Amino acid sequence: MEATFSQFYKRTPEQRLAILAETLGLSEAEQQILKHRATQGDAPLLIENYLTTYQLPEGVAVNLRVNDHEYVVPMVTEEPSVIAAASNGAKQLAKAGGITATVHSRLLTGQVVLSDVKVYASIDDWIALHQNELLEVAKQAHPSIVKRGGGPKSIRTRDLGEGFVSIDLVVDVKAAMGANMMNTMLEAIAGVVQNKLHHTTLFSILSNAGDQSLTTATVSVPVSQLADQPDKAQQVGKRIAQASRIAQLDPMRAVTHNKGIMNGVDAVVVAMGNDWRAIESAAHAYAVTDGQYRGLSQWQLEDDQLTGTLTLPLPIGIVGGATKVLPLVAINQKMAKINSPEDLMKLIAAVGLAQNFAALKALVTNGIQQGHMKMQMRSLAMSVGATPSEVSVLTKQLSNTDDPNEAQARQLLGQIRNNKET
């Protein structure tokens, strides 16, 4: 096997496919699918050992109103009902006046970590005494960001215990996500620490914590808007607030609560060419800030208003990295009217709140399955080979079937086609 894959990275995509087909027994049909989805654009240069392009659907959420502006939001996701839920939630919240979103800060933190430190105070004192020098070294390591008004802002130390010390650098990365510039600055600081403090560094790397890039989205919904009858509307508002409270008390529920929020957040982050894994990590770390994993959003019922708040760490960028390599990103930014990282941060947080509202309302009223099952039936119809013109008919028939499965879907599709022929 090792000989087969020797110098694999130097092969063309076609050669790699031929090797895989022979080694792994890929059928001709399977090879054709991989070939059909391959591209000769920039994709082969983006990753190592490129083979083909794995495509995900992109749609748009509509009806979103943020800070008195209307938005169409590109979203990339494979999960049925996410975009529908985001649009539905956004429509209901727009009726209430829309979402207000605020960016608290937009800074990136990185770490130079030392090991085998005997006396923390000696490190802390030295860094405090030389902080201006270290900040200047960081500026010189990446002068272009300083010219654009950004650059290193502060430096501190933290005692991590067990002989480990973190030297934290905080940087204004302007419109970029900033990973590369941060790592360059950190390595420059590490060099000074090693030469002057005579202490070997363990590693230098940015942190994806995102606690210096926080955005809050809020909305206030009149209870009367939640149902046709006043008593029922009050009950729905109370149940949404209670469901939100459970996510603060129970980590098991909080995980699912937050997953629903991230359904919308991730879909926008991917559409905008950003690192959704970094955003996921930052969000879940923020959810456990006080030592217990909790829901990222909170909904509270006060008199005749249901108020929702969502704060997220969003270390994203609109330039650099994949944002300039993936052709769709620029188009998506234009559709969403994104002109700054702050614009994008507000939009992402607003989508997360709308997604959360739609999920909670469905959960405490009709149940989450009603919307999900409709989309699942459509996916089932597609999986058995229904054409676009057949999907809606087959989906309707499957919805009227108890516990539909693939065999039933194939049978019903056959009947639909037979009826067309007669």
Side-chain angles (χ1 to χ4, degrees):
M1 182 70 78
E2 182 177 345
T4 301
F5 291 101
S6 176
Q7 303 292 304
F8 192 67
Y9 68 97
K10 291 185 177 180
R11 310 284 187 176
T12 66
E14 294 79 12
Q15 290 171 331
R16 293 185 195 121
L17 177 56
I19 293 171
L20 292 171
E22 182 178 355
T23 306
L24 305 177
L26 298 180
S27 69
E28 184 61 34
E30 290 166 338
Q31 293 178 58
Q32 287 303 317
I33 290 173
L34 292 171
K35 289 178 182 177
H36 177 70
R37 296 188 181 279
T39 176
Q40 297 304 314
D42 293 327
L45 303 176
L46 277 175
I47 61 171
E48 299 80 6
N49 294 344
Y50 175 84
L51 182 66
T52 191
T53 298
Y54 187 103
Q55 295 174 313
L56 292 173
E58 175 177 320
V60 292
V62 296
N63 308 315
L64 190 70
R65 185 174 181 82
V66 186
N67 296 341
D68 296 324
H69 290 87
E70 305 288 340
Y71 291 93
V72 170
V73 190
M75 300 175 72
V76 174
T77 180
E78 87 297 346
E79 183 171 338
S81 79
V82 166
I83 295 177
S87 297
N88 178 265
K91 182 177 182 179
Q92 295 182 66
L93 298 185
K95 185 179 177 182
I99 297 169
T100 299
T102 305
V103 174
H104 303 289
S105 62
R106 181 176 154 67
L107 298 169
L108 186 65
T109 303
Q111 299 177 266
V112 176
V113 175
L114 311 181
S115 61
D116 302 318
V117 175
K118 304 301 181 185
V119 182
Y120 165 69
S122 64
I123 303 295
D124 187 46
D125 291 343
W126 190 90
I127 295 297
L129 187 63
H130 295 83
Q131 60 178 324
N132 290 335
E133 175 189 351
L134 294 172
L135 289 173
E136 185 59 32
V137 166
K139 290 178 182 179
Q140 294 302 318
H142 211 297
S144 61
I145 191 64
V146 178
K147 292 179 181 178
R148 296 198 297 272
K153 298 301 177 184
S154 63
I155 194 166
R156 67 179 183 183
T157 62
R158 288 180 299 122
D159 185 357
L160 306 182
E162 299 183 13
F164 297 108
V165 172
S166 179
I167 303 170
D168 298 342
L169 178 68
V170 177
V171 177
D172 179 354
V173 294
K174 303 311 289 182
M177 188 272 165
N180 290 330
M181 73 174 71
M182 170 63 82
N183 292 338
T184 299
M185 292 181 187
L186 292 172
E187 289 177 3
I189 289 175
V192 174
V193 170
Q194 291 180 153
N195 291 333
K196 294 192 174 183
L197 192 55
H198 305 295
H199 200 110
T200 303
T201 59
L202 181 62
F203 60 77
S204 305
I205 189 72
L206 85 157
S207 169
N208 289 119
D211 57 342
Q212 299 293 312
S213 294
L214 296 177
T215 307
T216 296
T218 62
V219 70
S220 187
V221 183
V223 171
S224 59
Q225 189 181 305
L226 300 176
D228 295 334
Q229 301 174 1
D231 289 347
K232 185 176 180 181
Q234 189 70 25
Q235 183 185 45
V236 172
K238 180 180 179 181
R239 288 169 67 86
I240 290 174
Q242 288 177 329
S244 170
R245 184 59 185 158
I246 293 297
Q248 296 300 309
L249 300 173
D250 178 24
M252 184 173 289
R253 168 57 197 159
V255 171
T256 310
H257 179 98
N258 291 343
K259 190 271 181 183
I261 293 171
M262 300 311 290
N263 276 343
V265 169
D266 287 348
V268 182
V269 171
V270 173
M272 296 300 172
N274 273 256
D275 186 348
W276 60 267
R277 299 157 303 274
I279 301 302
E280 279 277 348
S281 297
H284 294 300
Y286 191 71
V288 73
T289 299
D290 68 355
Q292 177 178 315
Y293 188 89
R294 302 183 190 277
L296 289 162
S297 71
Q298 295 191 54
W299 294 84
Q300 297 179 326
L301 184 63
E302 297 179 1
D303 299 325
D304 62 347
Q305 296 289 316
L306 177 69
T307 301
T309 303
L310 170 64
T311 297
L312 286 174
L314 293 170
I316 50 84
I318 63 168
V319 299
T323 64
K324 293 303 180 185
V325 178
L326 301 176
L328 275 176
V329 173
I331 299 172
N332 290 343
Q333 288 180 349
K334 182 177 181 179
M335 286 195 291
K337 297 184 283 190
I338 299 300
N339 296 307
S340 70
E342 290 80 5
D343 289 343
L344 183 53
M345 292 168 75
K346 294 172 187 176
L347 197 66
I348 293 171
V351 169
L353 189 62
Q355 196 89 41
N356 184 232
F357 174 77
L360 287 178
K361 188 180 179 188
L363 184 65
V364 301
T365 54
N366 299 324
I368 207 73
Q369 278 299 88
Q370 187 177 80
H372 276 288
M373 288 309 296
K374 181 178 180 180
M375 303 301 288
Q376 290 295 341
M377 292 305 99
R378 190 166 72 181
S379 295
L380 178 57
M382 294 169 60
S383 73
V384 297
T387 64
S389 63
E390 296 168 335
V391 167
S392 60
V393 179
L394 181 54
T395 298
K396 185 176 181 179
Q397 292 189 17
L398 288 170
S399 298
N400 295 325
T401 304
D402 293 332
D403 194 22
N405 54 43
E406 185 175 326
Q408 290 173 311
R410 291 188 184 281
Q411 182 180 4
L412 289 171
L413 179 59
Q415 294 174 0
I416 291 170
R417 290 174 174 175
N418 289 334
N419 290 336
K420 283 183 179 179
E421 295 174 357
T422 57

